[in-house]
Amino acid sequence: MPSLLSVNVGMPKNVPWRGRTVFTGVWKYPVHGRVMVRRLNIDGDGQGDTAGHGGEQRAVLVYQVESYRHWKQHFGRDDLEHGQFGENLTVDGLPDDEVCIGDRYRIGEAEFEVTQPRVTCYRVGMRLGQPELPALLVSHHRPGFYMRVLREGHIQAGDEITKIGSGPGTLSVADTDALLYLPDRDPEKLRLAVGIPALSPGWLGSFRELLKDAEGSAAAAGGAAAAWDGFRALRVAAVTPESTTVSSIHLIAPDGSRLPPARAGQYLTLRVPGAGEPAPVRSYSLSSAPDSGRYRISVKHEPHGAVSAYLTTKLRPGMMVDAAAPRGDFVLQEGTGPVLLVSAGIGLTPVLAMLHELAAAPSAREVWWIHGARNPREHALAAEARALLAKLPNSRGYVFYSAAEPGEYRRDQARPGRLAKDNVSALGVPADATAYVCGPASFMTDIEEALVAAGVDPGAVHSELFGALPSITPGLTGQSARQPHQPPDPPGTGPVVTFARSGVSTPFPDGRSSLLELAEACDVPVRWSCRTGVCHTCVTPLLSGAISYNSPPLEDPAEGHVLICCTRPDTDVVLDM
């Protein structure tokens, strides 16, 4: 009969780690006597990062004494005590390869249901002083599992564990964990997983995306392969002023051949040798029709932007730039429902490409074009947008000027005021629309909130961020937002690493073990969780160059992508971050 060996609790605390501070509840210690289990937690217990741990679906973490014995032998350690794997319940029995998602158990007065395997997280490795542990938990098929509380009650060490119900799909914890984190997934097991009601919503969503990928209806792991590897030379065909602040740059293949088609909404990454040393790298959305045989980017001349100034004032027809293939998943999706294209300022470029695609059909879909600018002099590509809307039988156009002359509103059929949440709400947008939003970060946040408040499904609201993606650094405290910069270390001697979205190029330092560590030293926004090549949170497009892994990831990322948490550069590299 399985039994409860130890009940372990601990409140979150600040822990020093690699020169930073982590707020974590992974330090659990055994408690004696009866303890009350509640719907969201055990009395005396807490989690530091509630986005990844705790809550109704992850109220109690379970780990097996058999796994303790395994790790003692693996690491050659005799100092492992109950609670050190961050678990609330240390049990004898209930192995991960036998317990199934949806199984139900009675312990003492309380009843529980198994909801998911442990979340792969660097903090369990930090707790044991074994940084590689998150990857080992998966590869050795010993993750442990979470349970939700069906009935609250007291429990204590020594209680018997009685199985009172079985999950509907007989998918074990170990199989569920491998299904998410390991390669060669069985589509039948994915179908089994998405049909288990007890599976936590987060894991259910991940499996649905993986199932779409397996069935060929989506590319959840990174999209289609790029049209070419690295950078290739493109010739400037024309530089065209579009407003007082924006110029369009038309790019063609040097031999006159048609350039590969892009998807409407994608961006082009340029390396511009004439704008600095080393050659700066910047990304710009394509503003042209996606299959015109040439590319057009429309660049705003920023007052202190060396690259934008070079592109808009010094670039001439016949000159060359280097370009990586079009990339990005902010793309127009197929469908028949209404489309909302919402932008501010230079944010119109990717949605203008979408408008080109819709007008080329021409699409019978209801198309809303909603754009905000300061005034007509700074309203780039306005006539082009109006002409495209005229080709669509079910189009509506709304333009807002925040600082125009009185007569300019009437002439351009524009509305006064800044395009913001209240303006969008007042338009009465259709609730069944798919929306594409691009502009400054605060603008996108406001518009997304307005659209959701108007009844648009949050999953149907897509946005494009020009700069680096927001950081994911679970548990770290006291993180100040700093502009990306050169690392504080002495200049490195390794290959040059370029963080394209952040505008930083620097040699790889001798003292850094991974591209993630270099990005952190430069305050480049980073995204990670396990730091051992398991969770793929850190997956990043590799625009050019070659890398090697410090330790092979459990599953390779999609082609053209790398896991920066366990990667070093072999040559000069350009990363889309």
Side-chain angles (χ1 to χ4, degrees):
M1 171 73 71
S3 63
L4 177 61
L5 300 181
S6 178
V7 181
N8 316 297
V9 300
M11 295 303 293
K13 61 181 180 179
N14 288 320
V15 179
W17 177 74
R18 296 186 179 184
R20 289 170 285 182
T21 300
V22 178
F23 186 62
T24 176
V26 76
W27 265 259
K28 308 293 186 190
Y29 299 97
V31 292
H32 303 288
R34 300 199 329 154
V35 184
M36 185 66 182
V37 176
R38 304 187 188 278
R39 186 176 65 86
L40 298 180
N41 230 326
I42 298 176
D43 281 0
D45 192 48
Q47 294 80 33
D49 172 23
T50 54
H53 305 274
E56 181 180 355
Q57 301 294 325
R58 299 180 295 247
V60 176
L61 179 61
V62 180
Y63 209 55
Q64 305 77 24
V65 71
E66 297 95 328
S67 291
Y68 267 90
R69 298 188 188 108
H70 174 84
W71 297 119
K72 285 180 179 180
Q73 181 177 4
H74 179 84
F75 293 122
R77 293 177 58 168
D78 293 322
D79 61 340
L80 299 182
E81 304 292 339
H82 295 163
Q84 278 190 271
F85 283 80
E87 79 277 10
N88 299 113
L89 308 182
T90 312
V91 300
D92 186 3
L94 307 188
D96 290 340
D97 59 355
E98 294 181 12
V99 172
C100 294
I101 305 299
D103 284 355
R104 298 184 175 197
Y105 296 94
R106 180 184 298 114
I107 306 174
E109 300 173 349
E111 294 181 1
F112 305 87
E113 183 176 56
V114 178
T115 57
Q116 67 171 72
R118 174 200 300 268
V119 177
T120 56
C121 172
Y122 73 105
R123 281 161 287 204
V124 66
M126 179 179 74
R127 172 71 175 89
L128 272 81
Q130 306 284 167
E132 71 279 21
L133 189 57
L136 294 175
L137 290 173
V138 176
S139 62
H140 288 228
H141 305 287
R142 295 179 179 273
F145 55 89
Y146 280 105
M147 300 192 298
R148 69 187 182 101
V149 178
L150 300 177
R151 188 176 73 182
E152 297 180 343
H154 290 93
I155 62 173
Q156 64 181 343
D159 283 342
E160 291 185 348
I161 301 175
T162 304
K163 187 174 183 179
I164 58 175
S166 296
T170 63
L171 190 66
S172 75
V173 168
D175 283 345
T176 305
D177 196 57
L179 198 59
L180 184 64
Y181 293 124
L182 295 179
D184 304 320
R185 296 176 180 89
D186 182 349
E188 288 304 316
K189 284 190 175 180
L190 286 172
R191 294 187 186 94
L192 185 64
V194 300
I196 300 176
L199 187 65
S200 66
W203 282 63
L204 179 62
S206 296
F207 285 141
R208 282 174 174 164
E209 289 301 311
L210 289 169
L211 184 59
K212 289 180 183 178
D213 186 32
E215 293 175 342
S217 61
W228 65 82
D229 294 330
F231 286 82
R232 63 175 287 187
L234 297 181
R235 187 185 304 279
V236 177
V239 180
T240 308
E242 304 288 3
S243 72
T244 57
T245 57
V246 175
S247 293
S248 287
I249 298 159
H250 302 255
L251 301 170
I252 59 174
D255 61 2
S257 60
R258 289 179 63 86
L259 291 173
R263 295 190 66 184
Q266 289 190 310
Y267 60 88
L268 205 62
T269 300
L270 300 186
R271 184 168 58 200
V272 190
E277 183 61 39
V281 177
R282 298 290 188 274
S283 296
Y284 300 96
S285 295
L286 292 162
S287 60
S288 54
D291 192 17
S292 62
R294 57 168 57 194
Y295 300 147
R296 183 184 73 180
I297 59 173
S298 300
V299 180
K300 181 180 179 181
H301 184 161
E302 301 290 350
H304 303 291
V307 179
S308 67
Y310 177 84
L311 292 174
T312 57
T313 65
K314 296 183 179 179
L315 207 60
R316 297 288 183 269
M319 296 174 70
M320 308 289 285
V321 296
D322 296 330
R327 283 175 168 80
D329 55 9
F330 180 69
V331 294
L332 185 66
Q333 300 176 358
E334 294 182 0
T336 58
V339 178
L340 308 180
L341 304 176
V342 190
S343 57
I346 195 60
L348 67 83
T349 53
V351 293
L352 183 65
M354 297 178 185
L355 190 60
H356 269 285
E357 182 173 308
L358 292 164
S363 174
R365 300 173 72 175
E366 185 179 345
V367 178
W368 292 53
W369 175 263
I370 308 171
H371 180 68
R374 282 179 53 78
N375 53 57
R377 296 171 297 286
E378 297 184 32
H379 184 181
L381 301 158
E384 184 173 313
R386 285 194 292 267
L388 293 170
L389 289 169
K391 295 180 180 180
L392 293 164
N394 297 304
S395 67
R396 303 184 184 201
Y398 301 94
V399 174
F400 292 83
Y401 288 156
S402 62
E405 299 296 329
E408 293 173 333
Y409 295 110
R410 187 167 46 256
R411 187 191 67 200
D412 287 19
Q413 298 181 327
R415 301 185 178 200
R418 176 175 163 270
L419 177 56
K421 186 184 302 186
D422 292 344
N423 301 121
V424 172
S425 301
L427 293 177
V429 297
D432 59 339
T434 301
Y436 303 88
V437 185
C438 189
S442 59
F443 165 82
M444 291 191 294
T445 299
D446 285 348
I447 299 303
E448 289 170 23
E449 290 177 358
L451 294 175
V452 171
V456 178
D457 181 355
V461 181
H462 310 280
S463 59
E464 174 71 313
L465 187 66
F466 284 131
L469 296 173
S471 290
I472 298 176
T473 55
L476 291 188
T477 63
Q479 297 292 290
S480 58
R482 299 180 61 193
Q483 289 297 314
H485 53 79
Q486 291 294 314
D489 313 306
T493 61
V496 174
V497 178
T498 298
F499 301 107
R501 288 180 181 246
S502 301
V504 173
S505 293
T506 187
F508 191 76
D510 302 330
R512 299 291 174 187
S513 65
S514 69
L515 289 167
L516 171 59
E517 287 191 2
L518 176 58
E520 290 174 324
C522 296
D523 280 309
V524 169
V526 291
R527 303 162 71 84
W528 52 265
S529 180
C530 74
R531 300 182 75 99
T532 57
V534 180
C535 68
H536 285 221
T537 302
C538 71
V539 67
T540 301
L542 177 67
L543 303 184
S544 69
I547 58 90
S548 59
Y549 284 103
N550 300 325
S551 56
L554 297 185
E555 180 181 22
D556 288 332
E559 184 178 355
H561 292 66
V562 297
L563 303 179
I564 63 170
C565 72
C566 50
T567 302
R568 296 174 61 91
D570 290 335
T571 66
D572 293 352
V573 298
V574 179
L575 297 162
D576 187 25
M577 61 183 297

